[in-house]
Amino acid sequence: GQQLCYLPLLCFLVRLQQHLVNSQLQTCTGPILRFPPPPKGQCLTSWSDQRGEEKLYPDDFEDLLNQVQIFQCPSRGKRIIISNGIPNHGVILQNPRGPCEFNYVVEIPLNPSVVDERTEIPIRGMIAMAMNGVPAYGAQENDYLNAVEGTMGVQGARFWYGHAGPNSAWHTHNPKMGRAAESQETLLGYAMDGFPIYGHLDDDSMLDSCNGMYKDGNYQYHVRTLEQVDDNLEYCNGDSPETNWNYILGCYSGPVDNTHIFDSTSYSLDDDCFIDDISDTTESVAATPAADTTIPATTTQEIPITSGDSDNDTRLKRPNIIIMQPDDLPFYDAWGRPPNNPNTPNKNILLPNHGLPNIDSLRLNGLQMMQAYTASPMCGTSRFSTITSRCPSRALSNEDTMPSNVVIPSTKLEGDDCATPRTTLQFNFVTMAIAQQ
């Protein structure tokens, strides 16, 4: 279950320390942008604890059916994929979880460009979006094992129809990206840098290390089959962004800085957006199309977790960390895009139709402390707790003040109150604080 955090900074620093240690094993080139899922909606709870059961689409999906639309938005140069993340084909449950709806809005470049500096794909989570609106993940599963090959005890991740993750987000690792069959002319989906992904080539020697090539003057990716990838290699190709387990992608040839994930329940399309004329078709496909997708026998083999090459453990550069803290929030008041003030509903606040993409990107790609509480929710006193990990009544400036009289003017940072710089020095961070006026 979730645990409440009454000392936000202390909890944050504990998680930060775990992240800094673990991240050295989780990337090849250093910090990379990840694309976490948006909020979830309805779930197929009736599928719980039915491992090995075959579910036909749409008969066994109850009222939770696939929904996906793809738009072109010329004014901002975006291709926008809106989906609920539910597959449009039959599946065989490989773990005790069914899928949940996720309110995906994926904004990618409409006219992507190849750049000289390639970008490593995320080692966890979404690297592309399939045409049926289901995310495609990279080749690694938990414990740094190869999810596509299905070796060393990885169960259920390797099949073309995908599986549900720990958060019940349905996704695929297999290069068929949710199709029972594909060819080099099959448009499977779009990478997060905006380039299209097509089916495999019989001769993959024409592909670069990102899995890309030019065709008729346009750059596009092609997936590789299991036989075309050497799974005996390590995932990382040294400190190169071009990873070795390049089944779907080996890297990004285009930038992903302007790719964003939004919540479809609070998203508005631009006026000039129109539906893309290339869309996926809903198929009632059985979940076992070929002999190589036979359900593996359940094993209890213990998998040793290795720490990787010690020479590569220092390759992660320290990330820039920004802690954003809203204040004066009532108990259980949810975060929302402004304007979110019930007392002034008609206040004219000029915001773009597509919201605040940069702030949303920071929020969705960061750590959200959704259960961090303070003893005093006023602006200055709550910030004191965040910076010091102490109750405001423990401030040196409040030594002679009754707790009930602790207010903003009396709570000041003095002397040994400041814990943040002292704590973060062990990671060689330089710290500063900026507050609103």
Side-chain angles (χ1 to χ4, degrees):
Q2 293 179 315
Q3 295 181 346
L4 303 184
C5 178
Y6 294 99
L7 297 176
L9 180 63
L10 180 60
C11 294
F12 172 80
L13 289 175
V14 169
R15 294 189 184 187
L16 172 62
Q17 183 176 19
Q18 294 171 346
H19 169 76
L20 291 173
V21 172
N22 293 335
S23 293
Q24 293 178 347
L25 308 176
Q26 292 181 349
T27 64
C28 304
T29 60
I32 54 178
L33 184 63
R34 295 184 62 189
F35 304 100
K40 70 172 66 174
Q42 183 182 351
C43 298
L44 275 171
T45 55
S46 62
W47 288 16
S48 299
D49 299 321
Q50 295 188 31
R51 186 195 300 267
E53 292 288 327
E54 182 174 5
K55 301 296 183 180
L56 300 179
Y57 186 89
D59 298 353
D60 296 327
F61 281 66
E62 300 171 9
D63 295 327
L64 201 59
L65 302 181
N66 172 269
Q67 298 178 21
V68 58
Q69 286 185 303
I70 302 178
F71 296 87
Q72 291 189 29
C73 301
S75 62
R76 290 196 298 122
K78 295 289 187 181
R79 176 173 278 110
I80 298 175
I81 305 171
I82 302 178
S83 83
N84 63 355
I86 298 298
N88 63 341
H89 48 71
V91 303
I92 295 178
L93 299 181
Q94 302 294 335
N95 57 41
R97 291 176 294 275
C100 290
E101 286 183 309
F102 281 81
N103 307 319
Y104 289 106
V105 175
V106 181
E107 284 192 355
I108 58 177
L110 178 61
N111 302 298
S113 58
V114 175
V115 295
D116 293 333
E117 185 175 353
R118 290 169 171 169
T119 302
E120 181 185 349
I121 62 174
I123 208 164
R124 295 286 189 277
M126 187 190 306
I127 65 171
M129 181 63 92
M131 294 301 292
N132 66 352
V134 173
Y137 285 19
Q140 279 209 34
E141 189 59 281
N142 292 334
D143 301 332
Y144 318 109
L145 302 175
N146 190 318
V148 180
E149 298 289 344
T151 56
M152 293 294 290
V154 177
Q155 298 295 320
R158 62 188 174 110
F159 301 106
W160 66 266
Y161 47 81
H163 70 153
N167 62 348
S168 294
W170 200 267
H171 61 275
T172 62
H173 298 270
N174 188 285
K176 292 183 178 180
M177 291 177 64
R179 288 183 178 269
E182 45 77 26
S183 70
Q184 65 182 32
E185 302 299 330
T186 306
L187 177 58
L188 297 175
Y190 290 94
M192 302 307 276
D193 62 359
F195 287 110
I197 303 174
Y198 288 87
H200 78 280
L201 303 173
D202 292 334
D203 179 10
D204 67 330
S205 63
M206 295 182 289
L207 301 178
D208 60 28
S209 52
C210 288
N211 287 16
M213 62 175 287
Y214 284 93
K215 182 179 180 181
D216 300 328
N218 298 314
Y219 189 83
Q220 62 190 42
Y221 296 116
H222 286 267
V223 299
R224 299 180 196 256
T225 65
L226 276 64
E227 293 76 21
Q228 292 172 341
V229 176
D230 186 355
D231 63 305
N232 292 315
L233 297 174
E234 296 291 333
Y235 174 83
C236 290
N237 181 14
D239 58 359
S240 168
E242 304 160 0
T243 56
N244 288 322
W245 295 354
N246 52 349
Y247 301 92
I248 297 178
L249 298 172
C251 51
Y252 292 125
S253 292
V256 292
D257 310 55
N258 292 319
T259 293
H260 304 288
I261 308 292
F262 296 106
D263 181 350
S264 63
T265 61
S266 56
Y267 184 84
S268 298
L269 285 167
D270 296 331
D271 293 337
D272 68 327
C273 294
F274 60 90
I275 294 180
D276 200 321
D277 59 1
I278 301 177
S279 60
D280 196 46
T281 57
T282 299
E283 305 173 85
S284 293
V285 181
T288 52
D292 63 351
T293 57
T294 303
I295 304 173
T298 303
T299 64
T300 57
Q301 177 184 7
E302 289 191 7
I303 308 301
I305 301 177
T306 59
S307 60
D309 189 321
S310 59
D311 292 336
N312 291 331
D313 286 348
T314 59
R315 60 176 171 254
L316 178 69
K317 297 179 181 179
R318 290 184 302 278
N320 294 318
I321 300 170
I322 304 174
I323 303 175
M324 295 184 178
Q325 177 182 319
D327 49 45
D328 299 330
L329 290 177
F331 190 61
Y332 282 136
D333 188 11
W335 185 94
R337 293 187 183 89
N340 185 28
N341 188 342
N343 296 322
T344 56
N346 298 318
K347 187 174 182 180
N348 184 24
I349 299 178
L350 297 178
L351 290 171
N353 291 333
H354 55 280
L356 302 172
N358 294 325
I359 293 296
D360 269 350
S361 178
L362 289 172
R363 179 173 67 90
L364 293 172
N365 287 289
L367 173 65
Q368 297 186 71
M369 304 289 286
M370 302 302 292
Q371 288 186 297
Y373 302 108
T374 177
S376 178
M378 302 176 74
C379 56
T381 52
S382 63
R383 290 177 194 146
F384 176 90
S385 295
T386 299
I387 293 173
T388 65
S389 291
R390 301 167 66 186
C391 293
S393 58
R394 299 290 185 180
L396 294 177
S397 58
N398 288 327
E399 282 185 321
D400 300 324
T401 305
M402 292 292 292
S404 59
N405 294 327
V406 172
V407 292
I408 298 173
S410 69
T411 306
K412 300 178 176 64
L413 290 172
E414 296 181 358
D416 290 337
D417 279 334
C418 295
T420 305
R422 188 169 61 247
T423 305
T424 54
L425 277 176
Q426 62 179 301
F427 298 121
N428 294 322
F429 278 93
V430 176
T431 60
M432 66 179 299
I434 300 175
Q436 67 183 29
Q437 296 293 326

